[in-house]
Amino acid sequence: MPRAAIIGTGALPVGKYQTGPEAADQVVEHELLATLVAQALADSGADKKDIAALIMAQPRPYTRQQYFSTFMAAYLQLPCDAMVMEVLGNGLTAALAFDKAVDEILLGRAQVALAMGINMETAISARDHMMESMRKTGDVDFHTPAGFTPISWYAMDAMRYMHEYGVSRAELASVAVKNRRHASENPLAQFRKPITLEEVLAQRPIVEPLGLYEVPPRGDGAACVVVASEDYAKALGKPYILVRNRSFHHEGVHQIADKRSDMIGLNAAHKAAAQIYQNSGLSAADMDLAELYAPCTIVEVLASEATGLCPDGQGAHQAVAGETSLGGRIPIATSGGLTSRGHPSYATPLYNVVELADQLRHRAGARQVRNARLGLMMNELGNYNAAMLHILEAVQ
Amino acid sequence: MTISRFALGQPMAYPPRITAFTRPFWDGLRNGIFQSTQCEACHHISFPPKPICPHCWHEKTRWVALPVTGEIYSWTIIHAGPAAFSAELPYAVGVIDLDNDVRLACRLHPTAPNQKWACGMAVTMQAGLADNGVMLVATPR
């Protein structure tokens, strides 16, 4: 069976690109994305004619151009023998694009496949954006009428975690400080100015106990990852990243079960992590670094525990102690994570791939994890109760 | 046990859709009855009510009364919300475990200014009635 490798990446610094209707010069998604795709291909050294699949994260509903994947295949003049498609799966959307591109390689249908995504939303106000996003979490007839927002579920995780483990809000907030320090060295990050714990705690509340710096900023972004068969990658004669293992679990629960259960164990993440360690013969202790999909500080803490990188109930304490910082025992979110690198949601998981690809090719500059060989990536849905993991391995 | 009702005092910002199947639930709240569906085969109680059993997929369920008392599993106060809810900000929401271990999520209805909420806090379910819908809430017991 073929194995899949990451051979090239391209990403736009996360920021605000979307234009409102008043702008004389409009910014359109396909122009931004096409440039990145060309950069990613140049980074890979692959030949355009060898690309046989284009897997696209479905853009936000604000993107005017529809049927975006086939439109892009035309915009890029890219005939494909394998698959051209858009995927959608909540926060997993861009992770699915990557995972389905890997599928095309593993199925032997493509020697080279592109995974890409663009998320443009910042010209839409948060209060209007939430009119749509509130319909995505929970039950639209039994939860949404109470006014739940996506991050309100994470806030409830934080309250419960603090209650069960006696952890303070300041300890959770230290994750935001740590990740901003990481972001200060990442040219792709939306927010790079270091912040103090006092500044984090002084921000206005958004969903208690979380304030402005502990929840995801709104951002636009786009990224492209070039995936190839390992044979193709080897033939290029450059370092590449092997997609060593992957796993997925959905709990059969959306937000809450209908009976008493543990919400802060991230059960889906826990099960998917157990599965990937079993299948790979590796353990959490073998990982050199991790990129976790964590829109809020609390989510990084819960995800670090569910993946076994930190013991249960110790995720926040270990973040405070520097164990999850650059230079620490297991650096988490060297990119700056979703609170500082930014969270263009339908592209975010591809940014996680980009960060691990940079780290595992030893080109992460001042935020390089020394001798990084194995990277854990988890993209998950918190209390939407699904998790997808990948173990990526540097091959020199 | 009956569920107590109060006038919401304003239309619901985002009222639920009522189906032929869920109408007994919403009409029940208006009439002081708090109920959901239970599987006739495996006796699993679902919330929200469902026409099949989500646990064993048996196709026959019946309406059964739910306890109106429970405790807060977790909660938050939302300060930044969707446009439709702007006038109500800030407001509290929570996950409630009823005394029979059925879990639901709803608005938390304060009984005092600067109401304090806590995990484990005892609550009673109530039905807030508006012309365009019924809002299920939990309030301190």
Side-chain angles (χ1 to χ4, degrees):
Chain A
M1 188 169 178
R3 301 205 293 180
I6 298 163
I7 58 172
T9 62
L12 200 63
V14 179
K16 295 194 170 181
Y17 298 96
Q18 195 186 38
T19 40
E22 74 293 343
D25 284 346
Q26 292 284 305
V27 173
V28 297
E29 288 82 352
H30 37 280
E31 292 177 358
L32 290 176
L33 192 54
T35 306
L36 285 181
V37 172
Q39 289 169 359
L41 188 69
D43 180 40
S44 74
D47 193 326
K48 183 192 170 196
K49 70 174 174 15
D50 295 328
I51 300 170
L54 185 167
I55 316 292
M56 164 96 56
Q58 185 175 302
R60 289 288 196 188
Y62 318 122
T63 292
R64 186 179 291 197
Q65 180 67 53
Q66 296 280 291
Y67 285 168
F68 201 71
S69 58
T70 48
F71 175 82
M72 280 308 292
Y75 200 82
L76 296 163
Q77 294 191 8
L78 189 66
C80 290
D81 287 331
M83 191 56 67
V84 174
M85 69 186 292
E86 282 167 63
V87 296
L88 177 68
N90 318 12
L92 277 181
T93 295
L96 281 173
F98 172 67
D99 202 62
K100 294 302 112 187
V102 169
D103 279 350
E104 294 305 296
I105 303 300
L106 299 188
L107 288 166
R109 299 204 289 213
Q111 283 298 303
V112 181
L114 302 180
M116 64 182 78
I118 184 160
N119 182 100
M120 297 280 270
E121 61 169 71
T122 58
I124 313 296
S125 73
R127 61 200 294 278
D128 288 334
H129 179 66
M130 275 190 272
M131 286 303 294
E132 195 223 351
S133 63
M134 72 177 186
R135 292 161 46 205
K136 294 177 170 170
T137 60
D139 183 310
V140 75
D141 294 308
F142 284 84
H143 295 150
T144 309
F148 287 94
T149 61
I151 57 173
S152 68
W153 299 96
Y154 295 132
M156 291 192 288
D157 288 343
M159 286 292 189
R160 188 69 197 182
Y161 187 84
M162 289 161 60
H163 172 77
E164 285 193 19
Y165 291 114
V167 167
S168 69
R169 179 192 162 206
E171 287 172 288
L172 293 179
S174 74
V175 172
V177 179
K178 180 262 295 182
N179 286 349
R180 182 63 64 88
R181 196 163 61 240
H182 292 172
S184 71
E185 303 290 355
N186 184 1
L188 294 178
Q190 186 174 8
F191 296 99
R192 299 183 61 186
K193 183 170 167 277
I195 48 177
T196 65
L197 183 59
E198 290 67 33
E199 286 172 311
V200 176
L201 296 175
Q203 297 306 307
R204 65 186 166 92
I206 302 295
V207 280
E208 292 184 37
L210 307 175
L212 186 65
Y213 289 177
E214 295 159 277
V215 301
R218 312 254 336 277
D220 301 321
C224 177
V225 173
V226 185
V227 184
S229 69
E230 190 178 20
D231 288 345
Y232 190 97
K234 272 202 176 90
L236 291 171
K238 298 193 299 182
Y240 60 88
I241 298 111
L242 181 68
V243 182
R244 180 164 166 158
N245 291 91
R246 54 184 184 160
S247 66
F248 174 84
H249 184 75
H250 184 272
E251 203 187 343
V253 169
H254 190 67
Q255 247 67 56
I256 53 169
D258 63 4
K259 59 180 193 300
R260 196 185 279 267
S261 63
D262 176 16
M263 259 174 73
I264 59 172
L266 297 189
N267 297 329
H270 205 274
K271 287 204 171 116
Q275 190 185 325
I276 204 167
Y277 294 138
Q278 185 177 2
N279 293 346
S280 64
L282 298 167
S283 72
D286 294 317
M287 299 300 129
D288 295 307
L289 77 163
E291 282 290 309
L292 307 174
Y293 183 99
C296 302
T297 48
I298 178 65
V299 186
E300 181 174 310
V301 170
L302 298 182
S304 69
E305 295 176 8
T307 50
L309 299 173
C310 299
D312 285 351
Q314 294 297 312
H317 296 313
Q318 295 200 339
V320 172
E323 293 198 35
T324 59
S325 294
L326 268 170
R329 176 178 62 81
I330 172 70
I332 296 176
T334 53
S335 64
L338 279 57
T339 53
S340 285
R341 182 193 57 208
H343 185 31
S345 174
Y346 286 2
T348 290
L350 284 170
Y351 280 91
N352 290 341
V353 177
V354 170
E355 175 65 11
L356 288 176
D358 280 343
Q359 289 281 358
L360 296 173
R361 286 186 290 178
H362 298 169
R363 58 183 208 185
R367 63 182 200 290
Q368 181 64 50
V369 174
R370 280 188 62 203
N371 303 319
R373 189 176 73 84
L374 289 169
L376 180 70
M377 176 168 72
M378 179 164 78
N379 292 287
E380 57 89 32
L381 303 181
N383 285 314
Y384 330 127
N385 311 58
M388 175 178 276
L389 281 79
H390 293 86
I391 291 176
L392 304 180
E393 179 176 359
V395 181
Q396 299 303 319
Chain B
M1 195 182 290
T2 57
I3 188 167
S4 63
R5 294 154 284 169
F6 65 99
L8 207 53
Q10 61 193 19
M12 288 185 71
Y14 195 83
R17 293 169 301 178
I18 297 171
T19 67
F21 176 75
T22 60
R23 187 169 294 283
F25 174 77
W26 300 109
D27 286 354
L29 290 180
R30 282 198 183 277
N31 295 316
I33 298 164
F34 183 38
Q35 58 184 354
S36 193
T37 51
Q38 180 174 39
C39 175
E40 292 192 2
C42 79
H43 309 299
H44 178 88
I45 299 177
S46 303
F47 195 88
K50 294 185 177 69
I52 69 155
C53 175
H55 186 67
C56 72
W57 292 9
H58 186 69
E59 293 180 52
K60 283 195 179 143
T61 62
R62 60 169 169 254
W63 292 95
V64 293
L66 292 177
V68 295
T69 51
E71 64 173 42
I72 295 177
Y73 175 78
S74 196
W75 61 281
T76 181
I77 296 175
I78 296 175
H79 292 262
F85 291 93
S86 307
E88 298 171 45
L89 292 169
Y91 53 85
V93 295
V95 172
I96 308 298
D97 290 328
L98 300 178
D99 287 347
N100 64 349
D101 285 346
V102 166
R103 175 167 287 181
L104 55 83
C106 66
R107 182 71 68 90
L108 301 182
H109 192 65
T111 53
N114 301 315
Q115 175 76 52
K116 299 292 179 209
W117 304 101
C119 297
M121 185 175 180
V123 291
T124 304
M125 302 306 298
Q126 291 186 348
L129 309 185
D131 288 345
N132 66 343
V134 181
M135 184 183 277
L136 184 64
V137 307
T139 195
R141 172 143 45 100

